[in-house]
Amino acid sequence: MAVKGKVLIIEDDRAICNFIRRVLEANGYEAVIVHTGREAISLLASHCPDVVILDLGLPDMDGMEVLTDLRRWSLMPVVVVSARTDEREKVRALDAGADDYITKPFGTSELLARIRTAVRHTRTTSGNASIAKENRFTAKGLVIDYDKYRAYIDGRDAGLTQNEFKLVALLGRYAGRVLTYDYLIREIWGPNKAYDNQILRVNMANIRRKIEKNPAEPQYIFTEVGVGYRMIEAD
């Protein structure tokens, strides 16, 4: 089973953590668990998960502080899972940048559906119609399949690593627009890697070897010298 992405579970109730982890792993996700807000802030910056499940009632700080800190540097999808049922709490979390809000107790199907919806929101921010409707980006033989977490060249799996796919997928969402080095680094590796262009250059060189016929003359991902990278526009 292909890994659909990494999910960070921020929850102090260990029974709930284990339940969510079992559900996620049974459905192809990689799950990472932390029990405090401070652990969460540290791991968010170093691991950059694909989805965050956030409880608001953490033992060392309010989960809203974690959400606010995250939104200073990233738009990664966040699903709040909380026992707080007050409508004002829901509105407060959504206004602060949460993608969705589930109250406890919740069902397995609902949780998975909310995760899929939150991820889909991040795919459609560019207004790309094919990604919004089909979860696929297509351009001159390159296909980015957002459901399978795979990129294909002329029908062949390009064999991208997880971080390589994240880079290609992010560029695909904003095809035709230049994404700066700093933005790409923050979104994939977190703020602790800010200005470390070397890690980005190495990954981009590996990507080009896998998807470009001639890496020296790319036809999919272009370098805007001194600024960043740009993906070719969709067909």
Side-chain angles (χ1 to χ4, degrees), residues 85-106:
T85 58
D86 189 282
E87 184 176 342
R88 289 172 297 181
E89 289 287 349
K90 296 180 183 180
V91 172
R92 181 168 166 249
L94 294 170
D95 283 345
D99 295 87
D100 211 336
Y101 192 111
I102 312 175
T103 55
K104 301 174 183 176
F106 52 86

Side-chain angles (χ1 to χ4, degrees), residues 19-74:
F19 166 72
I20 295 175
R21 178 166 57 187
R22 287 196 299 271
V23 170
L24 293 175
E25 291 178 347
N27 286 273
Y29 293 93
E30 176 187 351
V32 178
I33 292 175
V34 295
H35 301 297
T36 68
R38 290 185 181 86
E39 287 180 287
I41 289 172
S42 175
L43 274 178
L44 283 166
S46 60
H47 281 63
C48 288
D50 298 282
V51 187
V52 178
I53 296 176
L54 173 64
D55 179 30
L56 298 182
L58 300 174
D60 59 336
M61 65 174 66
D62 193 289
M64 287 294 299
E65 295 179 59
V66 177
L67 178 59
T68 301
D69 184 86
L70 173 63
R71 284 293 175 256
R72 291 193 182 103
W73 60 271
S74 177

Side-chain angles (χ1 to χ4, degrees), residues 26 35 39 80 104-105 110 119 123 136 141 166 169 186 190-191 205 234:
H35 301 297
E39 287 180 287
V80 170
K104 301 174 183 176
E110 180 184 13
V119 172
R123 295 174 183 166
R136 291 162 69 93
K166 285 183 179 181
R186 284 200 314 272

Side-chain angles (χ1 to χ4, degrees), residues 213-233:
K213 292 179 180 177
N214 181 359
E217 297 180 4
Q219 58 177 323
Y220 298 117
I221 301 175
F222 305 97
T223 301
E224 300 293 338
V225 179
V227 181
Y229 296 100
R230 171 176 55 86
M231 175 71 78
I232 187 176
E233 292 191 35

Side-chain angles (χ1 to χ4, degrees), residues 1-229:
M1 181 186 293
V3 176
K4 297 178 180 178
K6 181 186 294 183
V7 181
L8 178 62
I9 304 166
I10 308 170
E11 167 68 69
D12 65 322
D13 188 314
R14 294 174 188 272
I16 293 177
C17 280
N18 291 332
F19 166 72
I20 295 175
R21 178 166 57 187
R22 287 196 299 271
V23 170
L24 293 175
E25 291 178 347
N27 286 273
Y29 293 93
E30 176 187 351
V32 178
I33 292 175
V34 295
H35 301 297
T36 68
R38 290 185 181 86
E39 287 180 287
I41 289 172
S42 175
L43 274 178
L44 283 166
S46 60
H47 281 63
C48 288
D50 298 282
V51 187
V52 178
I53 296 176
L54 173 64
D55 179 30
L56 298 182
L58 300 174
D60 59 336
M61 65 174 66
D62 193 289
M64 287 294 299
E65 295 179 59
V66 177
L67 178 59
T68 301
D69 184 86
L70 173 63
R71 284 293 175 256
R72 291 193 182 103
W73 60 271
S74 177
L75 294 175
M76 70 176 67
V78 176
V79 177
V80 170
V81 176
S82 177
R84 301 176 187 176
T85 58
D86 189 282
E87 184 176 342
R88 289 172 297 181
E89 289 287 349
K90 296 180 183 180
V91 172
R92 181 168 166 249
L94 294 170
D95 283 345
D99 295 87
D100 211 336
Y101 192 111
I102 312 175
T103 55
K104 301 174 183 176
F106 52 86
T108 298
S109 298
E110 180 184 13
L111 176 63
L112 293 170
R114 299 296 184 99
I115 289 173
R116 290 194 298 269
T117 299
V119 172
R120 193 155 55 242
H121 285 168
T122 67
R123 295 174 183 166
T124 57
T125 52
S126 65
N128 186 301
S130 66
I131 297 176
K133 293 178 180 178
E134 304 171 12
N135 289 335
R136 291 162 69 93
F137 171 88
T138 304
K140 293 185 177 179
L142 169 66
V143 175
I144 305 172
D145 191 318
Y146 289 84
D147 281 334
K148 295 181 179 178
Y149 281 72
R150 292 285 186 271
Y152 302 90
I153 293 293
D154 299 326
R156 171 184 57 82
D157 191 331
L160 301 181
T161 66
Q162 189 173 68
N163 280 340
E164 290 166 1
F165 177 82
K166 285 183 179 181
L167 275 171
V168 170
L170 186 57
L171 287 163
R173 287 206 302 270
Y174 296 95
R177 295 169 55 181
V178 179
L179 300 186
T180 66
Y181 302 131
D182 290 347
Y183 175 78
L184 290 167
I185 291 167
R186 284 200 314 272
E187 287 297 309
I188 307 302
W189 291 281
N192 293 340
K193 290 288 186 180
Y195 313 115
D196 184 3
N197 287 356
Q198 181 62 23
I199 191 172
L200 181 59
R201 285 196 296 268
V202 169
N203 276 267
M204 192 57 67
N206 291 335
I207 289 169
R208 282 179 166 154
R209 280 196 293 270
K210 294 176 180 180
I211 71 171
E212 302 283 3
K213 292 179 180 177
N214 181 359
E217 297 180 4
Q219 58 177 323
Y220 298 117
I221 301 175
F222 305 97
T223 301
E224 300 293 338
V225 179
V227 181
Y229 296 100

